[in-house]
Amino acid sequence: MSNVIYRVNEVFETIQGEGIYTGVPSVFIRLQGCDVGCPWCDTKHTWDVESGDECALDQVDQPSHDQKRWASATAEQLIQLVMQYHAKHVVITGGEPCWYDLNPLTRRLSDHGYQCQVETSGTYPIAIDPRAWVTLSPKIAMRGGREVLTSAMFRANEVKHPVGRQADIDALDALLARCPSSAAIALQPISQQPRATQLCIQTCIERNWRLSAQLHKYIGVL
Ligand SMILES: C[S@@+](CC[C@H](N)C(=O)[O-])C[C@H]1O[C@@H](n2cnc3c(N)ncnc32)[C@H](O)[C@@H]1O
Ligand SMILES: Nc1nc2[nH]cc(C(=O)O)c2c(=O)[nH]1
Ligand code: SF4
Ligand SMILES: [Mg+2]
């Protein structure tokens, strides 16, 4: 038994809408808490961890619909929730999941035959089972002032970069020059903006990178 306690905003099943596993049925575990401060963040309700928002674990076993609520759970309790669903792929996101030691959770899930994928900003050390897939979405010069860690870039299996304009691609180039990576690279337009989407399509074709278009927003699932 581990004594790591996770603060959980929601657990639910959907279709992975981002990155290389796009289209894969997945159980999402969204952890509460992030101080990176991306101005366009989809999940601002996960930033703060306020004691007044704590709730019972059975309340987070469904989509939170942008509520700030969170419940405390051990890895074992989370696995019991995950096992109620069909999917064999588990996405751990947030918030910033690397606020937490993910070893107990990802080790047990992997032992139970689940493929784990973690979505992270790369600004905290990644403590995770070696079998887990790491999707790193580098956050460069965000308001929280945190930097992308070289160790996180080294661990990443996939680098999925949010793009609003050309300067974001230039910043990714500078990061890759500083931290050479063998990870697959995907560009993700910010908030379905048409100009960003066109820029991502054009750059992905020129460079043989992947496009990550947030499929869930186009097909209307969470
Ligand atoms: C909400 S974050 C949570 C995990 C972690 N904090 C991170 O940033 O990777 C999950 C993914 O959504 C992306 N994302 C958040 N808001 C977005 C937006 N408005 N448009 C496109 N991607 C967004 C992030 O870049 C990240 O790849
Ligand atoms: N369907 C779906 N796919 C996702 N991939 C990454 C997500 C996230 O918020 O981390 C996300 C999400 O919120 N929904
Ligand atoms: S790091 Fe992730 S959760 Fe945190 S503000 Fe940025 S996109 Fe949102
Ligand atoms: Mg999302």
Side-chain angles (χ1 to χ4, degrees), residues 148-160:
V148 178
L149 303 176
T150 307
S151 60
M153 285 293 283
F154 186 68
R155 177 61 179 82
N157 299 102
E158 144 182 53
V159 172
K160 184 184 67 180

Side-chain angles (χ1 to χ4, degrees), residues 10 12 14-19 26 28 30 42-43 91-95 117 119 160 188 214-217 219 221-222:
E10 59 184 352
F12 68 101
T14 186
I15 298 290
Q16 168 59 293
E18 302 182 12
S26 308
F28 273 69
R30 192 177 304 282
D42 279 339
T43 56
V91 180
I92 303 167
T93 184
Q117 176 179 15
E119 303 264 353
K160 184 184 67 180
Q188 180 157 299
Q214 294 198 295
L215 174 72
H216 52 298
K217 295 185 181 177
I219 64 177
V221 299
L222 290 171

Side-chain angles (χ1 to χ4, degrees), residues 34 36-38 41 43 47 95 121 139:
C34 184
V36 177
C38 308
C41 176
T43 56
W47 289 8
S121 62
K139 299 304 167 357

Side-chain angles (χ1 to χ4, degrees), residues 4-195:
V4 175
I5 299 291
Y6 301 96
R7 293 178 295 247
V8 187
N9 175 260
E10 59 184 352
V11 179
F12 68 101
E13 191 167 40
T14 186
I15 298 290
Q16 168 59 293
E18 302 182 12
I20 282 176
Y21 285 102
T22 292
V24 175
S26 308
V27 180
F28 273 69
I29 300 175
R30 192 177 304 282
L31 301 179
Q32 190 76 12
C34 184
D35 59 1
V36 177
C38 308
W40 35 259
C41 176
D42 279 339
T43 56
K44 288 184 171 157
H45 61 286
T46 64
W47 289 8
D48 298 328
V49 185
E50 288 170 16
S51 54
D53 294 324
E54 185 167 8
C55 65
L57 186 55
D58 59 3
Q59 283 182 259
V60 301
D61 191 19
Q62 55 186 300
S64 72
H65 297 293
D66 296 353
Q67 293 177 78
K68 293 169 67 185
R69 58 97 195 272
W70 55 273
S72 297
T74 62
E76 211 49 61
Q77 286 174 314
L78 281 171
I79 286 161
Q80 294 307 315
L81 297 187
V82 167
M83 285 171 68
Q84 305 173 106
Y85 295 101
H86 306 278
K88 286 293 176 191
H89 189 83
V90 177
V91 180
I92 303 167
T93 184
E96 178 42 68
C98 292
W99 269 24
Y100 300 86
D101 176 0
L102 298 173
N103 276 303
L105 179 58
T106 54
R107 186 184 319 124
R108 281 180 175 71
L109 281 168
S110 302
D111 288 347
H112 278 81
Y114 290 94
Q115 169 69 56
C116 293
Q117 176 179 15
V118 172
E119 303 264 353
T120 180
S121 62
T123 60
Y124 283 86
I126 300 172
I128 198 177
D129 188 272
R131 291 165 287 184
W133 180 272
V134 173
T135 301
L136 192 158
S137 178
K139 299 304 167 357
I140 303 163
M142 293 302 160
R143 284 180 191 154
R146 301 200 59 84
E147 302 227 334
V148 178
L149 303 176
T150 307
S151 60
M153 285 293 283
F154 186 68
R155 177 61 179 82
N157 299 102
E158 144 182 53
V159 172
K160 184 184 67 180
H161 192 57
V163 171
R165 54 206 172 97
Q166 180 62 42
D168 298 323
I169 296 168
D170 298 343
L172 174 62
D173 284 338
L175 177 65
L176 291 171
R178 174 167 76 81
C179 308
S181 171
S182 57
I185 298 177
L187 300 182
Q188 180 157 299
I190 291 173
S191 302
Q192 299 178 290
Q193 292 164 11
R195 281 182 56 191

